[in-house]
Amino acid sequence: MSNLIIVSAPSGAGKTSLIKEILQQDKQIKLSVSTTTRPPRINEIDGVHYNFVSVEQFEKLQQQNEFIEFAKVHQNYYGTSKTWVEQNLKQNDNVDILLEIDWQGAEQVKKIFPDAILIFILPPSLQILRQRLTDRKTDSDEVIQNRINAAIGEMQHCNNFDFVIINDDFNMAAKQLLSIIQTQRLTYNYQKIVNPKVFEGF
Ligand code: 5GP
């Protein structure tokens, strides 16, 4: 049995670092590799961080119904492989599937898989978000303001999520993220399927 977990957040909320941390701590979680038309950043490896494709290739995959969800985020297209998700959910390995996707994708997946667990990560405040984006020293004031405006729009969708984590203290947020995922493995339905012998004879 595998749970489908979706984690969304605006940029600067610390989602990528949190996911990296929990993947190290819990080997029962597998991260989906998305397909994108965004050019790779330095240190990003094709097939590891994303499957990098052209807009034409992306549109072809989309027409072939290859995506379980897709969305345009910050001028680029992103999509999750339908085949990969379905195959991994079917595998009887008790490994949970994690999708790191935006709110639009999360809402699409929830419609197809109502049991998917949606988690939204928020920064503690807009001031702290601004500080984090400024501290990166990679963007101009104008770019930072655009990102904050985009973040406000994205954060307004957190009410459609099952859980919200406020990433103030990194270790605490990682602990909370892990505990949400691990608790899903203790539901009656999950236990009954994964440990049927325990339920025999009573
Ligand atoms: P970045 O380009 O910074 O890696 O990601 C930009 C945004 O796109 C992030 O919010 C990320 O979660 C989202 N994203 C990444 N992969 C997918 C995907 O397959 N589908 C959707 N809907 N969003 C994605």
Side-chain angles (χ1 to χ4, degrees):
M1 169 115 177
S2 301
N3 287 317
L4 183 57
I5 318 284
I6 301 178
V7 179
S8 301
S11 82
K15 174 186 57 169
T16 308
S17 309
L18 284 171
I19 289 179
K20 199 171 160 201
E21 176 66 24
I22 65 157
L23 288 175
Q24 270 169 9
Q25 288 189 32
D26 189 327
K27 300 299 172 198
Q28 249 180 287
I29 307 169
K30 205 192 273 182
L31 182 63
S32 160
V33 177
S34 295
T35 298
T36 184
T37 59
R38 169 170 77 61
R41 297 183 184 125
I42 300 168
N43 299 331
E44 280 185 332
I45 302 162
D46 188 26
V48 176
H49 297 95
Y50 280 104
N51 298 311
F52 295 100
V53 297
S54 64
V55 175
E56 292 72 31
Q57 285 170 312
F58 191 94
E59 283 170 349
K60 202 171 167 198
L61 290 167
Q62 193 183 321
Q63 280 155 14
Q64 290 166 342
N65 202 18
E66 269 300 315
F67 297 126
I68 202 163
E69 64 74 33
F70 65 90
K72 194 176 186 185
V73 189
H74 310 312
Q75 314 305 327
N76 295 298
Y77 289 100
Y78 296 83
T80 303
S81 164
K82 192 178 196 171
T83 315
W84 188 89
V85 169
E86 286 179 352
Q87 276 176 358
N88 278 280
L89 283 178
K90 252 187 252 157
Q91 259 172 34
N92 209 9
D93 54 5
N94 303 335
V95 174
D96 294 333
I97 306 306
L98 181 61
L99 308 183
E100 182 185 347
I101 62 178
D102 89 316
W103 65 269
Q104 304 172 81
E107 291 182 3
Q108 291 173 47
V109 176
K110 186 80 174 180
K111 282 192 186 128
I112 307 166
F113 293 100
D115 290 340
I117 297 129
L118 270 51
I119 307 169
F120 202 95
I121 298 173
L122 284 176
S125 68
L126 285 178
Q127 286 97 310
I128 292 177
L129 181 66
R130 183 184 294 279
Q131 192 61 52
R132 285 179 186 168
L133 293 172
T134 310
D135 288 348
R136 285 181 183 176
K137 291 188 169 55
T138 51
D139 300 306
S140 65
D141 286 352
E142 192 190 340
V143 170
I144 290 173
Q145 191 53 50
N146 286 342
R147 282 181 185 246
I148 289 169
N149 293 343
I152 292 169
E154 290 165 33
M155 292 190 295
Q156 284 167 353
H157 292 272
C158 72
N159 58 328
N160 293 325
F161 284 64
D162 300 305
F163 295 95
V164 175
I165 292 174
I166 298 165
N167 184 11
D168 189 1
D169 177 272
F170 179 84
N171 290 330
M172 175 61 80
K175 219 177 181 176
Q176 290 172 338
L177 182 55
L178 207 49
S179 69
I180 293 168
I181 296 171
Q182 291 175 340
T183 304
Q184 308 307 316
R185 300 180 192 143
L186 301 175
T187 63
Y188 171 77
N189 285 339
Y190 188 98
Q191 290 280 32
K192 188 97 196 275
I193 290 168
V194 174
N195 298 301
K197 283 211 160 66
V198 175
F199 294 82
E200 280 170 15
F202 72 89

